[in-house]
Amino acid sequence: MVTKIWADLKKGANQFSGPLGLWWVIGLIGALVVKWLGIQFGGWLSLLGLLGLSLWLPALAEHTGGHQRWSWRQHWFIWLGQLLLAVIWLPFGWGGYLATLQASIELPAEWQNVILMTRYDWLPWVAPIWAVIWLWSLKWLPAWRDQLQAPTGWRTWWLQGWHQHWWPVCRKLVGFVGWLMSWLVLATCLILLTGGLENLNEGLGRVCAIVSLAGLQGGLWLVFASWWGRWFTLPQQPRTGTGRYLIAGLMVVTLGSATWWLQTPPTTAPAIIAHRGVNGDDGVQNTTSALKKTVHATQPAYVEMDIQPTADQHWVVMHDPTLRNLAAKSGPVQDYRLQQLAGLPLTEHGQHGELSTFRQYLTAAQKLNQPLLVEIKAIGDAVQLISPFADEYATTIEKRGGAVHSLDYQVLARLKQRTRKLRVGYITPFYLTAFTPNVANFYSLQALTVTREQLATAKREHKAVYLWTVDRSMQLQRLSAMRPTGLITNQPGRMRRLQGQAPHYYFYQLINWVISL
């Protein structure tokens, strides 16, 4: 496999000495510029960049065919066909450019709220339908390659794909998976080398990270150029002497892009936020006993905890919608009255505690001088109870340096109508699109789907970003390198210890780049 990859790299480099050499350089520069636009600006500017980049592949295909020029109808067909396939393959991330698209499209928070709050209704049927369409679309990939060589139209493409057998296409794609795994092995080796050198000297680690990222990026482009040469009949023209200069330009561009992407280590560490008020398995989540242990042991910037309404319109501290896991009782929490819940014995991880009312928990936090990050669960009558909640608790939370966040944007909007001073945050379970200006003072974003573009968008809006839920040592350090405002973790003690160690910033940033693809 190593020999095959080396042969692909040599063939790709040879493309830069041929008639398409300039086109390959233009394509790479365009791809890097669009990524830069997505992170630095987003919105319409990066959307226009994506549109311009989408025109590159049809133009390359036209010039690959030699002197024959396409009609406007052929250009339009190829561009629309490319768009159709891109939409079908959208969940695979487009090699990192899905994040650029998300940063380019801005939806009002109210619209996103409808989509996010109803995700359990539409995901169970949208996901299988998409999976079937994607598997079916594989039959049309060989026909699309033929259309890039000589565009004929929708009917020819459809018929050719319809008669194509599905399994032979899958066998060819398996070869691609093997190549991808080899690239990941190489990337892993370079990441480990960067980490080893960074142990010796931070400067050496930075140089290794820059060269590694540039090499991985340029290598992908050379392999793509090599595959293009195998898939299509290239124009028979004499090689030019500009190939070496184009290769040099390629190296300069990729090294510059890698230097910009890696940046330099942040000067401040992310804030530690204790998720559900626990420190590992030291107590029962969302109980005052665990709160006291966690605050004394870790001194977090915030203690994040959950509240939800009772049947008689009070608030108790509980994450789950039922008591099944912690109290072995049936039925939703919202079906019980406050008197039935306050002091209820809870058990978790061999630890014992009592279910608290929100007033009890808030009082305990005040005695500890501990700011709270209160999550109002989007359950039952929560939205309708926000006005009395704000009247009773908002001033106390705000004066103690606390904040409130929720998955339901309506909760935030009503809170801001009632009190302007209280900081409120919008929780998003996955990254949909960039937000238009809204009432949120900060965002609580799921760590699994957060992107560099999303963090940059929040920074441009001067809004803090907290990532949830981050527990493993590798994840804590990797996400710290992305410069969020804070990390919400079940392991605040572990995070505190890690912050006292050498950060290995470039090691983790290189991992972040690979994951972003």
Side-chain angles (χ1 to χ4, degrees), residues 54 57-58 73-89 137 140-141 144 147-148 153-154 157:
S54 71
L57 186 64
R73 177 180 171 277
Q74 288 174 307
H75 276 285
W76 186 243
F77 160 65
I78 290 296
W79 188 84
L80 286 178
Q82 176 183 257
L83 178 63
L84 175 62
L85 289 174
V87 170
I88 294 174
W89 286 70
S137 73
W140 276 264
L141 294 182
W144 180 245
Q147 289 299 317
L148 285 174
W154 296 102
W157 183 29

Side-chain angles (χ1 to χ4, degrees), residues 200-235:
L200 300 175
N201 181 275
E202 185 181 277
L204 286 176
R206 184 186 186 194
V207 171
C208 185
I210 292 172
V211 173
S212 297
L213 197 157
L216 291 169
Q217 201 168 48
L220 284 173
W221 204 248
L222 290 176
V223 170
F224 179 36
S226 172
W227 289 350
W228 188 269
R230 290 207 308 264
W231 292 339
F232 301 105
T233 303
L234 299 180

Side-chain angles (χ1 to χ4, degrees), residues 224 278 429 449:
F224 179 36
V278 298
T449 60

